[in-house]
Amino acid sequence: MLRNKNFQIGLLAFIVIAVQLMITFTGKTPYLTQLTMTGYYSMVIIGLTLLMGYTGQISLGHAGFFAIGGYTSALLTTFNMLPYRSKPLISLLENVGVLTLRKDLYEMDILTVTPWAACIAAVILSVLIAWIIGRPVLKLKGHYLAMATLGFGTIIYKIVLATTFLGAADGLSDIPGFSLFPGLEVSGKSSIRIENYYIAWGLVIVSMILLTNLIHSRVGRALRSIHAAEDASNAMGVNTAQYKLKIFILSAALASLGGVFLTHFNGGIGPSEASIMKSVRYVAIVAIGGMANLWGALFMGVLLNFLSLRGYLGSFDDAVFGAILIIIMLFAPDGLLNKDLFTGIWFKLKRLAWKKVNTE
Amino acid sequence: MRPVDASSLYLINGMGIETFFQYIIAGITYGTIYAIVAIGFNIIYNATGIINFAQGEFVMLGAMTAVTLNEYMPLPAAIICAVIITMAVGALIETLFIRWLKNPAVLRLTIITIGLSILIRETALHIWGAGVRSLPYFTGTAVTTISIGDVLVSPQILWVIGVSGIMVLILSFFFNYTLAGKQMRACASNSNAARLCGINAKNMVSLSFILSAGIGALAGCVVCPITYVQYDSGTSLAIKGFTVAILGGLGNSTSAIAAGMILGIMESFSIWIMPTAYKDVIAITLLLLILFVRPSGLFGNAETSRLKEF
């Protein structure tokens, strides 16, 4: 029953509801804020699991896509276009409803892009960048691929850190709430904490449904064949380059969607979201979750991100993820929540017991 | 809204030949540092096929240790001790994390070194804090200059270039004329065959880690007075060193020097066309371009890059 994907999704939904009820019952509502943020980070992690675990391509630049999504949406919803209102293009956009008039922090009127349009633009932009970057990058293998994606992530980080209109080291703030439809808004107001928790986890559940269906389809089998033996699967007629690129783009889109929503939820975004440590953290979580194991990665991601956001890891935050990465790669390169590892340990124990019996 | 500083204004209005050479000198200085880091990469790559992402951390560790030791002992002694300590750290890393793994995939080892670099960086943060530190100038002070023609050069720059030059000479002597060096080259070109000839390949891997840690630490100490050192200054050095290593052709240390000069001078002139803050982007863009267009490097073709020569 545990292997049934409908059952798994149902279980996830049940846990999400149970956790909310438990937290509301015990009155520890601030936990919901961190769980909401964790949900958005989980979007990156499940996308990356698909890329790393199922196609076997490492990406050390996924925080870059997260930041592209977040920053694009943040910039579009805070950039004031009021001075250009008379320009035909701007007035056309305003009449169509892409632009909206709102008040900023100082109660001044500003003309900005509506969050919906900004969200769509952000995802399209990151898909575009993933497509441009992905074609040459995915031809590389091994540490060349690791270094190229790391380089891409670093470029995004440096640009975000050094560009004045992206707020440089301070980042962007005063980002309006994202009204999904009237009455349901993504924002950090404490009065709508529970709604936001469900928005975040609803998004995760929808993505999980899509991804599990993808994995259990023809495409999923093709992806696993790429991971197992790329040349062989190419010879069998699988267009490996095309599949790798598509999955790269899909995971980039998921990451940027997470970035957009988290930015609107927090009301701001800073350059730390684009830092290399964030990318390494995502890779560490996917590795500890079991590489080709969406549920494992989701579980470990929630656990570790929640601990980190609550501040339980203290000043050892980054060191913890570095240590995880090393330990996993040394002792369990196929991931921790991995069936083979447990059966392997089981067999070793059995053999030890057998030896003991024989020597006695 | 590009921030314009006085020096770049002067450049836009017209550049004298002295300024041109001043930029070249700055480029060569940084290029030398990158080349040394790249040589560290190459030594380990040639012996093991691993890209050691912690190479930049060796540079930082050497400089930091020297700064701390310098409070208790004279500068030359502090530098020697710092280099030895960093070599010990390199040996420790190899024995703890690399040596006992049987036939590990290269990517797995690469990820381990990424983790190691994070751990070293975070340990440094907890030991030394986030402050910026520096060693005193080896000769003279920060304002002393030597004029070569019309170009003013800090004596420390001469130290950097001199020490790096001597280091490269010693290394090429070591690899070409000593038994250990020849054994390392044998392991690099075919470790199985080398083992059949009675060479202990594992010890050669240890030696490569020790050697590259020592080189990195010495380079860190020499450049520390100019560039300063901070707990996280190793990362960007590692990326640039890797860029240079790829640019010159992975594993080829002679062309790494040329590639280092190219990157250093390019960076130094990049201030011309874009704000200083984007200086690092140049290196990484160059890295990506090289990876996409010519992964075998500027100076090698696919066949010769397989013939690993130091």
Side-chain angles (χ1 to χ4, degrees):
Chain A
M1 200 156 76
L2 260 167
R3 301 200 69 77
N4 182 339
K5 61 176 193 273
N6 294 332
F7 174 77
Q8 290 169 337
I9 298 281
L11 188 67
L12 176 63
F14 175 74
I15 293 172
V16 166
I17 295 169
V19 165
Q20 186 264 314
L21 290 176
M22 219 159 71
I23 287 174
T24 314
F25 187 67
T26 51
K28 298 199 163 157
T29 41
Y31 282 47
L32 281 180
T33 306
Q34 279 104 27
L35 282 173
T36 311
M37 290 168 76
T38 303
Y40 293 134
Y41 284 125
S42 302
M43 298 286 291
V44 192
I45 287 158
I46 54 181
L48 193 60
T49 309
L50 196 68
L51 182 71
M52 278 177 62
Y54 290 87
T55 54
Q57 311 296 312
I58 191 172
S59 168
L60 283 165
H62 254 55
F65 289 114
F66 187 88
I68 289 172
Y71 265 99
T72 312
S73 194
L75 186 66
L76 289 176
T77 51
T78 52
F79 188 74
N80 185 10
M81 280 178 255
L82 208 54
Y84 316 105
R85 206 175 189 181
S86 52
K87 296 262 164 43
L89 180 70
I90 302 293
S91 63
L92 174 77
L93 285 176
E94 195 184 355
N95 290 334
V96 175
V98 173
L99 300 184
T100 174
L101 209 57
R102 69 176 177 94
K103 297 217 182 299
D104 71 354
L105 270 179
Y106 313 103
E107 294 296 317
M108 301 280 275
D109 278 330
I110 56 171
L111 187 68
T112 62
V113 179
T114 58
W116 255 114
C119 169
I120 293 167
V123 174
I124 288 175
L125 181 69
S126 43
V127 162
L128 213 62
I129 291 177
W131 181 68
I132 294 169
I133 280 285
R135 282 201 306 174
V137 159
L138 294 173
K139 280 189 196 141
L140 303 170
K141 285 196 176 67
H143 48 244
Y144 288 104
L145 180 66
M147 203 63 208
T149 49
L150 186 75
F152 164 72
T154 317
I155 288 181
I156 300 292
Y157 178 59
K158 293 281 176 190
I159 288 176
V160 158
L161 196 63
T163 311
T164 0
F165 69 86
L166 291 176
D170 297 330
L172 293 169
S173 55
D174 184 32
I175 292 145
F178 179 7
S179 162
L180 279 177
F181 44 81
L184 195 61
E185 198 186 53
V186 178
S187 81
K189 287 180 202 141
S190 53
S191 57
I192 49 169
R193 224 178 227 149
I194 295 177
E195 284 89 331
N196 267 290
Y197 170 80
Y198 279 111
I199 292 172
W201 282 95
L203 204 61
V204 173
I205 289 175
V206 169
S207 318
M208 283 303 276
I209 293 172
L210 287 176
L211 293 192
T212 41
N213 280 332
L214 187 72
I215 289 164
H216 288 102
S217 70
R218 212 179 101 89
V219 180
R221 288 193 293 277
L223 296 181
R224 265 167 291 182
S225 79
I226 295 176
H227 191 181
E230 192 174 331
D231 292 330
S233 90
N234 219 339
M236 291 296 287
V238 178
N239 190 343
T240 52
Q242 200 65 36
Y243 273 121
K244 284 196 289 188
L245 183 62
K246 278 181 182 159
I247 295 301
F248 187 70
I249 291 173
L250 179 65
S251 71
L254 284 175
S256 77
L257 203 62
V260 170
F261 274 78
L262 187 69
T263 304
H264 286 283
F265 177 70
N266 280 343
I269 186 169
S272 73
E273 294 298 347
S275 71
I276 292 306
M277 240 350 271
K278 277 276 157 91
S279 295
V280 171
R281 167 179 300 205
Y282 299 137
V283 170
I285 289 171
V286 173
I288 198 178
M291 290 294 193
N293 184 344
L294 277 176
W295 294 101
L298 185 64
F299 173 70
M300 293 314 298
V302 172
L303 187 71
L304 289 170
N305 270 323
F306 182 72
L307 290 180
S308 160
L309 287 168
R310 287 291 304 171
Y312 288 129
L313 309 180
S315 59
F316 295 98
D317 204 22
D318 287 346
V320 166
F321 286 92
I324 287 175
L325 210 53
I326 294 179
I327 293 167
I328 290 298
M329 284 298 147
L330 284 179
F331 300 108
D334 297 321
L336 196 61
L337 298 178
N338 183 303
K339 196 171 52 118
D340 294 343
L341 182 73
F342 288 117
T343 42
I345 291 172
W346 175 240
F347 274 118
K348 260 182 200 156
L349 287 176
K350 247 163 111 179
R351 208 184 308 152
L352 269 179
W354 186 244
K355 258 187 199 161
K356 220 172 190 180
V357 171
N358 275 3
T359 47
E360 266 165 13
Chain B
M1 285 213 287
R2 177 192 294 181
V4 180
D5 55 317
S7 64
S8 65
L9 266 179
Y10 172 61
L11 282 172
I12 292 162
N13 291 337
M15 182 165 69
I17 193 79
E18 306 86 34
T19 333
F20 180 78
F21 277 115
Q22 210 84 60
Y23 271 69
I24 296 272
I25 295 280
I28 288 176
T29 314
Y30 279 91
T32 317
I33 304 163
Y34 302 155
I36 296 294
V37 180
I39 289 173
F41 270 118
N42 285 338
I43 291 173
I44 293 184
Y45 177 79
N46 276 329
T48 59
I50 309 172
I51 294 297
N52 175 25
F53 278 82
Q55 186 64 37
E57 265 60 39
F58 287 151
V59 179
M60 179 272 295
L61 214 54
M64 279 291 199
T65 321
V67 171
T68 310
L69 290 177
N70 191 31
E71 290 167 16
Y72 307 102
M73 52 177 86
L75 187 62
I79 291 175
I80 292 170
C81 287
V83 169
I84 291 171
I85 289 172
T86 315
M87 283 166 123
V89 172
L92 191 72
I93 283 176
E94 200 275 336
T95 27
L96 280 183
F97 299 105
I98 313 284
R99 186 176 261 259
W100 57 274
L101 290 173
K102 285 177 207 148
N103 304 321
V106 168
L107 189 62
R108 189 174 152 201
L109 287 173
T110 305
I111 295 178
I112 289 176
T113 61
I114 292 177
L116 282 173
S117 89
I118 295 167
L119 278 192
I120 297 175
R121 195 164 66 227
E122 293 298 309
T123 317
L125 177 64
H126 280 271
I127 297 175
W128 288 292
V132 176
R133 284 148 190 265
S134 162
L135 278 174
Y137 277 65
F138 289 8
T139 46
T141 61
V143 287
T144 329
T145 49
I146 298 168
S147 54
I148 304 171
D150 285 337
V151 185
L152 297 175
V153 179
S154 163
Q156 191 63 31
I157 288 178
L158 298 180
W159 272 105
V160 172
I161 296 172
V163 169
S164 314
I166 293 168
M167 210 141 73
V168 171
L169 282 181
I170 293 176
L171 272 182
S172 63
F173 176 80
F174 171 76
F175 282 119
N176 287 313
Y177 297 107
T178 63
L179 186 62
K182 285 178 184 167
Q183 286 180 339
M184 270 180 81
R185 279 170 58 203
C187 284
S189 62
N190 188 336
S191 82
N192 279 335
R195 254 203 309 263
L196 285 175
C197 297
I199 298 170
N200 188 335
K202 295 219 158 180
N203 283 350
M204 290 302 128
V205 174
S206 304
L207 191 60
S208 75
F209 266 82
I210 294 170
L211 208 57
S212 70
I215 290 168
L218 186 58
C221 293
V222 183
V223 299
C224 182
I226 312 177
T227 58
Y228 300 115
V229 64
Q230 208 180 346
Y231 78 99
D232 61 351
S233 53
T235 318
S236 67
L237 269 182
I239 290 180
K240 284 177 189 165
F242 184 80
T243 309
V244 168
I246 294 279
L247 196 64
L250 206 51
N252 187 336
S253 289
T254 334
S255 46
I257 297 170
M261 298 306 149
I262 293 174
L263 180 65
I265 292 170
M266 264 179 74
E267 268 196 1
S268 140
F269 279 100
S270 75
I271 302 173
W272 232 0
I273 46 168
M274 52 166 96
T276 335
Y278 294 107
K279 205 173 94 176
D280 292 348
V281 176
I282 292 266
I284 305 160
T285 316
L286 192 67
L287 167 68
L288 290 181
L289 280 179
I290 282 290
L291 282 177
F292 300 155
V293 183
R294 250 186 106 85
S296 55
L298 275 188
F299 304 108
N301 53 35
E303 280 91 76
T304 50
S305 70
R306 237 172 267 149
L307 286 173
K308 294 162 191 159
E309 272 294 327
F310 289 93

